[in-house]
Amino acid sequence: AQKITQTQPGMFVQEKEAVTLDCTYDTSDQSYGLFWYKQPSSGEMIFLIYQGSYDEQNATEGRYSLNFQKARKSANLVISASQLGDSAMYFCAMRGRGSQGNLIFGKGTKLSVKP
Amino acid sequence: DVKVTQSSRYLVKRTGEKVFLECVQDMDHENMFWYRQDPGLGLRLIYFSYDVKMKEKGDIPEGYSVSREKKERFSLILESASTNQTSMYLCASSPLGAVGEKLFFGSGTQLSVL
């Protein structure tokens, strides 16, 4: 069975500093995809970044990067130069080839950025 | 801009009522999903559909049913609402295909069952 684990229910970071949100996963699939979504207090789910299991380079999207360590089955999100608007819930998710299209989500990490 | 629209942002219902949550997408996506979000539990899949009139149970289908009569519309039905179904409900869609296809989400429906 596939599983996503986010061990940090809540985190604080000072504005302009970098922060790492942890995510580990478990799957028996060889081909899978890892996603990060942001959910501000408004409730919308915003796609941030994607990493494929066969991608050799870590994914980056602006201030977001994904620290992908395949052997350790971890896919940590790194946010550089935190901004007040980064305060939100962050969800790690995965899809495996056998999962029929749906994403399996972790329980989320609530990030609070302090001025 | 692509869009997944959920009919209500907030909904208050009574125990025992039949409740319909509607979701429409304008992206011609094959896959549509209903998730439930509760604090500390993340998002859990209730049902999904990969084609018109097709449906598959997710992890927590008990107490729910779904309907997909048209490709763009996916409805979640609470046959007899109970207080433990008070939650945020998120609809999503995606194309059929590779593992890298992301989900597009609606803005959610916060349902309160009294």
Side-chain angles (χ1 to χ4, degrees), chain A residues 31-33 35 37 39 41-45 47 50 91 95-97 99-108, chain B residues 9 31 33 35 37 40-43 45 48 50 56 59 88 90 94 98-108:
Chain A
S31 176
Y32 52 89
F35 302 77
Y37 281 82
Q39 186 182 44
S41 56
S42 56
E44 61 191 304
M45 292 285 283
F47 167 75
Y50 166 78
F91 292 97
R95 178 192 285 124
R97 182 166 294 283
S99 70
Q100 300 186 47
N102 61 289
L103 295 188
I104 296 163
F105 286 84
K107 295 181 178 181
Chain B
R9 183 71 181 91
N31 290 335
F33 309 88
Y35 285 89
Q37 181 181 2
L41 297 179
L43 279 71
L45 183 67
F48 68 98
Y50 53 89
E56 295 285 343
D59 299 318
M88 169 71 88
L90 290 162
S94 76
V99 293
E101 295 290 355
K102 66 185 180 186
L103 265 58
F104 295 84
F105 282 87
S107 53

Side-chain angles (χ1 to χ4, degrees), chain A residues 50-62:
Chain A
Y50 166 78
Q51 178 86 40
S53 59
Y54 292 120
D55 295 340
E56 294 186 353
Q57 303 276 355
N58 284 344
T60 60
E61 291 285 349

